[in-house]
Amino acid sequence: MTPSTILFDLDGTLLDTAPDMGEAANRVLAEFDLPPLTREQIYTHTSFGARGLLSAGFGEQAQYQDPVALRARFLDHYGDAICHGTQLYAGIDTLLDKLDQLRIPWGIVTNKPEALTHQLLAFFPRLQEARVIVGADTYAHAKPHPMPLLEAAKSLNCVPQQGLYVGDIENDILAARAANMGAAVAGWGYTGDQALVHNWKADHIFARPDQLSAILGS
């Protein structure tokens, strides 16, 4: 069945934000005279935001640091250089065009803070056309809690069971399941070990955005 609405995660699904997220984390690490994250570490942990990146960088030393203060430093650095290396994934423009042509409303539900989400989307006018944009702090709970997806669906007059959520980590699939929505893996994103992705039990695993387009019909 063609979904009546599609909601997307942002980092690792619509945008490759790893270069700028990684740079922000490395600036924090430099303040503590710690070595920078490798490219592999950055791409493995970006979907888990500041917590994931800084935990990877600090390692065992993380337990001796104030996580709130570290996150604040990370967000300061990230906000100062939010779109130096970030890019729209290839094929996303075409996918969004097809959704518009089929009059399937689409939105964004991310665990990036709402203010930073809008700051970043200012560089990508196409994404600003989303019918709804939900950040980590828009509501009382963030993913994997279902509230952000349910509220986004409600704003689009979408019955959750008829919607589809597309994300690149297991928490995205858990959120979709908890919201009684269809769940799809953006296999082009920060999925990590591909062998484990099948364990998430998503309804779809797409290697490329055009594979998602193919299930929408014409």
Side-chain angles (χ1 to χ4, degrees):
M1 181 180 72
T2 300
S4 65
T5 298
I6 297 185
L7 300 173
F8 296 95
D9 177 44
L10 185 61
D11 301 80
T13 300
L14 296 175
L15 292 175
D16 179 5
T17 56
D20 294 317
M21 296 276 282
E23 178 60 24
N26 283 339
R27 290 186 182 185
V28 175
L29 294 173
E31 294 173 359
F32 290 81
D33 296 321
L34 292 172
L37 295 168
T38 64
R39 185 182 187 279
E40 181 180 0
Q41 286 176 310
I42 290 170
Y43 274 86
T44 298
H45 296 282
T46 288
S47 269
F48 298 97
R51 175 180 57 82
L53 289 164
L54 294 175
S55 293
F58 277 87
E60 293 183 357
Q61 294 188 41
Q63 63 184 312
Y64 305 112
Q65 304 299 328
D66 178 352
V68 175
L70 287 182
R71 182 174 183 273
R73 294 299 303 140
F74 172 91
L75 294 178
D76 283 345
H77 287 306
Y78 184 53
D80 287 342
I82 200 167
C83 194
H84 286 188
T86 293
Q87 296 184 28
L88 196 70
Y89 280 108
I92 292 298
D93 267 333
T94 302
L95 170 60
L96 298 182
D97 287 345
K98 183 164 186 178
L99 291 176
D100 289 344
Q101 290 164 8
L102 296 174
R103 298 185 179 179
I104 297 174
W106 56 275
I108 297 170
V109 180
T110 174
N111 271 3
K112 190 186 290 295
E114 185 175 347
L116 286 175
T117 297
H118 287 287
Q119 181 183 343
L120 178 58
L121 293 185
F123 293 91
F124 300 93
R126 186 68 178 91
L127 298 185
Q128 287 184 306
E129 296 173 14
R131 293 274 297 276
V132 62
I133 298 172
V134 175
D137 49 356
T138 303
Y139 298 107
H141 300 283
K143 299 176 299 179
H145 197 283
M147 180 181 285
L149 297 184
L150 291 173
E151 292 297 330
K154 184 189 301 182
S155 73
L156 297 176
N157 297 314
C158 167
V159 176
Q161 291 87 339
Q162 296 176 359
L164 178 69
Y165 186 60
V166 185
D168 65 302
I169 62 172
E170 187 174 13
N171 274 352
D172 294 325
I173 306 307
L174 292 174
R177 289 292 184 219
N180 290 318
M181 297 184 73
V185 177
W188 58 87
Y190 312 136
T191 53
D193 188 344
Q194 290 293 314
L196 298 179
V197 172
H198 290 277
N199 296 338
W200 302 351
K201 301 188 184 304
D203 297 298
H204 307 278
I205 300 174
F206 299 117
R208 304 181 309 275
D210 66 297
Q211 293 180 342
L212 196 166
S213 293
I215 74 165
L216 301 177
S218 56

